[in-house]
Amino acid sequence: MSFAKQNPKIPEGINTSADNPLKEFFILLAGVLFVFGVSVALLLLLANTFAPHIPFRYEQQLANKYGEWSKSKTESSLALQDAEAAVQDLGQQLAAQAELGSDISVHFHLLDQADTPNAFATLGGHIFVTTGLLKEVSSENALAMVLAHEIAHIKFRHPAQSLSGGLLVQLFLSIVTGGQNATALQNTTQQTGLLTMLGFSRQMESKADDAALTTLENHYGHLAGAEEFFSKVLAQYGQARWQALFTSHPDLRQRIDHIQRRTQQQSGANSGDNTAQATKPLDPRLANFDA
């Protein structure tokens, strides 16, 4: 038996590629980015699908643990406390007409921000209204439209959907980067209220508008005054500033037109009803409140 005195010579170039190394790098990078993008999209899809089915009590527990609304309000003026009570009273009346789930409850808070006409819904059924918004409404019906819109966000669990998507993406990034984003993940959880207030899609906003109009129909029997706040915002601030502040919200003009069409349809359906479609004055605690 005889053995070769040396190993056979390996052909040259067997472990090299004829392609430019930069080309291979960019192909690899594109593949990684594609997989990353698909993963994020799937995470967001899962969040939108399953978030509404998470028991509302878990959402409340998280909100009460980290929410700023849990702080003492003893420093608020009596006028501010009375105005908040008025918002709470009207909000609860509307919530009773909004067909909320039996496990869902809403709580209303007034923020002393006179220069910002705004309202937003966040986790655990908490809804915030700024004192600046009170200056922009002259009837209870106009305020009711805004409150009913935020109630609808709670009804459809939009804050949970928005937050769940953000948390899942942060968790995924934390895993991919070996925990480098753990702090960001913690901050996301601890700032739930502020992070979800701008996290709604245009589809969510439009859905909330439709539900709000139905709530107003159930409560007042008509939609008079529903578009007042949005018309004032458009007249005073313009579409450009509105879009800059609230990029996810539908076009203001389209939003107003939609409300007016619903109002006309509702008026036509009740043409034989002699009930006057008049707006109601604001609660004196709001009308006399110096925002």
Side-chain angles (χ1 to χ4, degrees):
M1 180 180 296
S2 61
F3 297 93
K5 295 182 179 180
Q6 59 183 20
N7 293 329
K9 185 177 181 180
I10 299 175
E12 295 183 3
I14 193 172
N15 290 323
T16 59
S17 171
D19 294 330
N20 189 302
L22 286 178
K23 178 180 178 181
E24 294 183 342
F25 170 77
F26 285 115
I27 291 175
L28 179 61
L29 179 62
V32 170
L33 292 177
F34 175 78
V35 172
F36 177 80
V38 170
S39 299
V40 170
L42 287 175
L43 289 172
L44 293 176
L45 178 62
L46 288 174
N48 291 333
T49 301
F50 294 112
H53 302 290
I54 299 173
F56 190 71
R57 64 179 182 275
Y58 295 144
E59 186 179 324
Q60 288 177 311
Q61 291 172 2
L62 182 62
N64 292 335
K65 182 176 181 181
Y66 294 111
E68 295 182 359
W69 48 89
S70 62
K71 296 180 180 179
S72 172
K73 298 180 181 179
T74 54
E75 297 181 1
S76 299
S77 67
L78 290 177
L80 189 68
Q81 293 179 33
D82 286 344
E84 182 175 81
V87 172
Q88 181 76 239
D89 291 344
L90 176 58
Q92 295 301 338
Q93 294 175 36
L94 296 169
Q97 300 290 340
E99 300 180 351
L100 300 177
S102 58
D103 62 330
I104 295 179
S105 59
V106 291
H107 308 275
F108 297 85
H109 311 271
L110 189 61
L111 298 177
D112 190 10
Q113 297 179 3
D115 297 329
T116 308
N118 192 19
F120 59 90
T122 189
L123 285 181
H126 293 276
I127 295 173
F128 294 82
V129 179
T130 67
T131 55
L133 186 144
L134 299 180
K135 296 192 300 183
E136 304 299 336
V137 294
S138 62
S139 70
E140 178 185 292
N141 304 66
L143 176 60
M145 176 61 192
V146 177
L147 297 182
H149 174 90
E150 303 307 332
I151 291 171
H153 279 312
I154 302 297
K155 173 182 178 179
F156 298 127
R157 308 294 301 279
H158 289 163
Q161 285 181 276
S162 177
L163 178 67
S164 295
L167 278 178
L168 284 173
V169 171
Q170 288 281 4
L171 180 59
F172 176 72
L173 290 174
S174 180
I175 293 173
V176 170
T177 59
Q180 294 180 12
N181 284 326
T183 301
L185 178 62
Q186 181 181 10
N187 290 338
T188 300
T189 306
Q190 294 179 347
Q191 297 174 10
T192 54
L194 297 179
L195 285 178
T196 57
M197 75 183 217
L198 296 179
F200 303 145
S201 68
R202 291 192 177 214
Q203 183 179 10
M204 290 177 177
E205 294 291 349
S206 297
K207 187 176 181 180
D209 272 350
D210 281 330
L213 292 171
T214 299
T215 296
L216 262 60
E217 288 178 345
N218 294 338
H219 185 63
Y220 295 110
H222 60 80
L223 297 176
E227 83 288 350
E228 179 191 329
F229 171 68
F230 306 109
S231 296
K232 280 193 173 182
V233 169
L234 183 61
Q236 294 183 19
Y237 300 100
Q239 181 67 40
R241 184 177 178 187
W242 170 265
Q243 289 300 116
L245 291 173
F246 307 105
T247 55
S248 66
H249 284 58
D251 179 89
L252 262 181
R253 184 70 262 170
Q254 294 178 0
R255 196 172 193 176
I256 294 168
D257 291 343
H258 176 67
I259 295 174
Q260 291 176 341
R261 284 195 298 270
R262 280 283 299 266
T263 302
Q264 292 172 358
Q265 293 171 1
Q266 191 275 338
S267 298
N270 296 333
S271 57
D273 190 352
N274 294 324
T275 302
Q277 296 188 0
T279 58
K280 296 181 63 175
L282 283 170
D283 186 299
R285 292 171 291 178
L286 298 174
N288 298 327
F289 175 68
D290 185 8

